[in-house]
Each structure stands twice: as structure tokens, then as C-alpha cells.
Amino acid sequence: MTDTLMEADTKSASHYIAKQIEDNRSLIAAIGSKIRQYAPKFVMLVGRGSSDNAAVFAKYLIEIEAGVATFSAAPSVASVYGKTLALEGAMVLIISHSGQSPDIIAQAEMARNAGAYSVALTSEVEGPLKHLVDDIIPLHIGQEQGVTATKSLLATLTGLLQLTSSWTGNQELTAAVASLPTILQEATHAPANLRVEQLQGVTNLVVLGRGLGFAVAKEVALKLKEVCAIHAEAVSSAEFRHGCAALVAQDIKVIDVCISDESYLNHLEQLEHLLQCETPLVHLNQVLTGVHPRVAPLALLQRFYIDIAKISTLLGANPDEPEGLSKVMKTC
């Protein structure tokens, strides 16, 4: 079977990420030094769609590794409501593959005018963001042929990991980032983590994750909606018992995103209730063992993107032409 564009993009990610890590090494070292000198009081994250899922990953990553309070912005505060936030002493990370959405541009302009130090992670280094931020981290992904974000999201997570390791001086994390191209290649050739029979006839499901795994759960849920037309909701496993557990009585299917990091045992403890209720449960494991827990989520996503593209085709959909989705989504 010929690969879909979504599969081809994903399988090429390791090549482009190896180039990204090398080409950005000096730039990110300089930005890391700036951040240490600037010592941000807090970090605000800006993104939409898959980029917003990357922002959730960044929140956990930065708070865990750098100990700085981090939160996601509501872009409409600037673009629709016309308000300016008090951002003096803040760092703003703008995550946008295209760098063209008006609300993201408005948020970047607001952050600049509010006195924040702004960094953008984008593929369009010559786009509108160039004149609105202090530094740009290029994603170096080449052309992403598919409509859905795959290698651009993996490259964004890599950029966030590389930036955080430089900022904090964490040599173990730096080494883990350097190993990512090999890890992604191994994940590409790992056995399938998700099979079509697990999703046949499914119209609604919940995706559970914890910590960095919750960020992955949000991306998994988004892709299920985009390329399989399955209504999927991502929920932190810690929050599931606070209301969502009533869905268990309706035999709703649950996908479990399991990352072997500090949250692992707590996450399993939250799943125990589902097991006792005999809830239909699908496990998405991190595919590889013995990898650094901060890069493990990328291995899981690498395998998931390949699996879900195949499943989409087998379900009669086209992952390269998802209904209602275009490559550049512009919102105000």
C-alpha cells in the first residue's frame, strides 16, 4: 500500500529534526543565555490547534524543568477584545507553523507592546512574526505535504525541548534531545500501537493522559477528529473522576496515553477504576523503553501518526483531505 502524505511526512520527521537540532544549536544556545539573564517572572504560550497542544506540552516541560509558572493565552483577548495584558518581565512563546493567523499575530503584537521578551517557533521565518518578536526559532521541516500537522508538531516539540535544555543547562536533557532522530526512526519501525478494529464503529471516545502525556492525549484526540471524524475528548486522568466518570456507564471507549515518567504510577492508579468497571480500554504506550521521559512522548506520537493515517484510510476516510481543514487556518 502506498503511503499517504500524512505517513510520508511523519516518516521523514527524523531526517528534518536531525537537521533542526544541528542548525539551531548556536541560535538556541544564545537564546538560552538571554533567558537566563532575563529571568522571566512567568511564561505565556500562544498557539492554536496542534500548536496549542504543543503549548500544553511546553507548560509541563517548563514548569517541571525550569520551575517558572507557565500558562496558555487566549488569543482573542488581543484580536477580538482589543485588550493588552500586563506582561512586563514575562517571556512569551509563540508557536505557529504558518505564522499567519491574524489572532496569533495580534497576540504577538500585543506582547511586544506590553514589554515582554518574545520568542516564536515557526516554519515561516520571513513571515509577519519576524517583525513582532525578539527571536525566531526555525523549525527546518522542509515542506509538509499533508494537511494535518505531523512533522511540524514533532519539530515544535523538539524545539521546545532544545530551548528548555539550553535555558536550564540540563546536560542530560540536551543529550536526550540529540538522540531524538534515532528514537523517531526506531518508533517508525516499531509494531503498530493502534489498530483499525479498535476504532471500528466508534463515534465517541475519551483520551486520557497525565502531565506531558496529557499534551499527547490532546493531540491524539485532535487527530481522531480531523482524520477519522471520531468525536474524541482529551481529559487528564486526574480530572476524569471529577465528572467524566459518568460516561463509563455508557460503555464509552477510552484510549489511555501512558508515558513512563514521574506521573506513571499515579496515572495507573486513576485507571484502576476503569478496569474495575470493565471499561473498553485501549492502551497507547510510549513504544520504546529506556528513553528519557521528556522525549518519550515524541516516540509515541511518531508511531501514532503512522497508525492513525492507515486507520483513517481503512475506515474509508482520506487523511490527506480531511473535511473542513486547510493547511493554513486563519482565525481572528
Side-chain angles (χ1 to χ4, degrees), residues 169-181:
N170 185 331
Q171 294 304 309
E172 184 180 349
L173 185 56
T174 299
V177 172
S179 71
L180 265 172

Side-chain angles (χ1 to χ4, degrees), residues 236-300:
S236 166
S237 56
E239 291 289 342
F240 190 71
R241 298 288 295 276
H242 296 270
C244 299
L247 296 171
V248 170
Q250 301 177 29
D251 289 329
I252 193 166
K253 179 158 283 190
V254 174
I255 292 180
D256 155 43
V257 174
C258 201
I259 302 296
S260 295
D261 66 2
E262 297 92 328
S263 70
Y264 179 72
L265 293 179
N266 190 277
H267 177 68
L268 293 183
E269 182 180 329
Q270 300 301 323
L271 293 180
E272 190 61 35
H273 172 70
L274 299 179
L275 295 172
Q276 290 173 359
C277 295
E278 299 183 351
T279 303
L281 195 60
V282 176
H283 296 288
L284 282 187
N285 298 311
Q286 66 181 45
V287 184
L288 305 175
T289 59
V291 299
H292 192 287
R294 304 296 176 257
V295 303
L298 281 73
L300 190 153

